[in-house]
Amino acid sequence: MKGLFLALALAAITMPARGAPDPLLRVDFSNPGLTPAQWTLEFRPDGSGHFRSERGNANVGDAQLIEARNIDRDVQVSPKFAEHAFQVAQHHKYFQGECESHMKVAFQGMKKLSYSGPKGEGSCEFNYSRDAEIQGLGDSLIAVATSIIEGARLETLLQHDPLGLDKEIQSLQEAASDGRAQQICSIRNILERLADDPAVLERVRKRAKALLAHADQ
């Protein structure tokens, strides 16, 4: 009986506490001059997360341009990317301090970084931050959102304007090359569909395969 009690006590100590919230990092972005005008990206340390966007009322300029509808879907970023983001959150006391530089710089869109989890919660909002880590994290998260939004556009074009895929995927490839689009793994599904679809242009298939080759980087 004593041995059974000891075993149960040890199990209680080593068993993870039920109901403890998973750490969650979130960014809310807004810029009325862009399409979409608002979006939210949130993810956990393993990279699993969710993305939502609202198009807003911005004039896209080209009446022939097909824009993706509002996005509301689960996404997956790499655990390595998620780990870095959570490290930045830890370095900055889980965003419990000031992020905004209050400098007179061009409006880049408001970013609100938030953390919630067992170690507490916090948030800070900024257009531009003097802190290189905070500004860099904001830029990287925008680049991830760019990939997700471009993926949604590719899905829309595949359904409604397959010939438009050529220009769009070329733009995505260029953005991925210079860092404006990151975490291509988050749109793996649509790229695999394009790479395997004999009905789309061969150039589109080749670009999709090239993007997939670097999807885990």
Side-chain angles (χ1 to χ4, degrees):
M1 182 64 70
K2 183 177 180 180
L4 178 59
F5 177 79
L6 180 60
L8 291 173
L10 288 173
I13 293 172
T14 57
M15 186 179 297
R18 294 183 178 179
D22 289 334
L24 190 70
L25 193 147
R26 169 173 169 149
V27 55
D28 294 273
F29 177 89
S30 62
N31 185 339
L34 298 180
T35 303
Q38 296 181 326
W39 53 259
T40 298
L41 170 64
E42 58 186 23
F43 53 89
R44 302 170 189 84
D46 65 357
S48 63
H50 199 84
F51 184 87
R52 299 179 184 85
S53 72
E54 296 181 15
R55 291 181 59 183
N57 299 314
N59 184 359
V60 297
D62 185 353
Q64 302 300 316
L65 183 63
I66 297 178
E67 284 289 341
R69 292 170 291 183
N70 291 346
I71 306 169
D72 187 357
R73 65 180 60 176
D74 290 336
V75 294
Q76 179 74 43
V77 299
S78 70
K80 182 178 180 180
F81 179 87
E83 179 183 14
H84 170 71
F86 278 91
Q87 285 176 347
V88 174
Q90 183 179 16
H91 293 166
H92 293 273
K93 300 179 180 180
Y94 302 105
F95 310 127
Q96 293 178 7
E98 179 79 20
C99 286
E100 178 58 67
S101 69
H102 300 290
M103 296 173 62
K104 292 184 178 180
V105 298
F107 182 65
Q108 303 173 3
M110 293 304 298
K111 284 81 66 178
K112 181 181 179 182
L113 301 177
S114 305
Y115 169 90
S116 62
K119 298 183 180 179
E121 58 183 51
S123 65
C124 66
E125 192 170 359
F126 65 101
N127 170 50
Y128 176 78
S129 179
R130 289 178 184 270
D131 188 289
E133 268 198 327
I134 291 291
Q135 182 64 30
L137 178 59
D139 291 342
S140 293
L141 293 169
I142 290 173
V144 175
T146 296
S147 295
I148 297 170
I149 294 165
E150 284 297 318
R153 286 176 178 157
L154 291 174
E155 291 174 357
T156 301
L157 289 169
L158 179 60
Q159 182 177 3
H160 298 289
D161 181 18
L163 292 179
L165 288 167
D166 192 23
K167 182 178 180 180
E168 193 71 27
I169 201 167
Q170 180 180 357
S171 297
L172 174 58
Q173 195 171 36
E174 292 170 355
S177 296
D178 62 25
R180 288 178 290 121
Q182 297 180 22
Q183 293 296 294
I184 298 299
C185 59
S186 64
I187 58 169
R188 184 185 302 275
N189 288 345
I190 179 59
L191 292 177
E192 289 177 342
R193 286 172 60 191
L194 293 175
D196 296 335
D197 190 342
V200 302
L201 293 175
E202 180 63 21
R203 287 194 304 271
V204 173
R205 296 176 65 188
K206 287 183 177 179
R207 292 186 188 278
K209 291 175 182 177
L211 285 165
L212 283 168
H214 300 282
D216 295 319
Q217 297 182 1

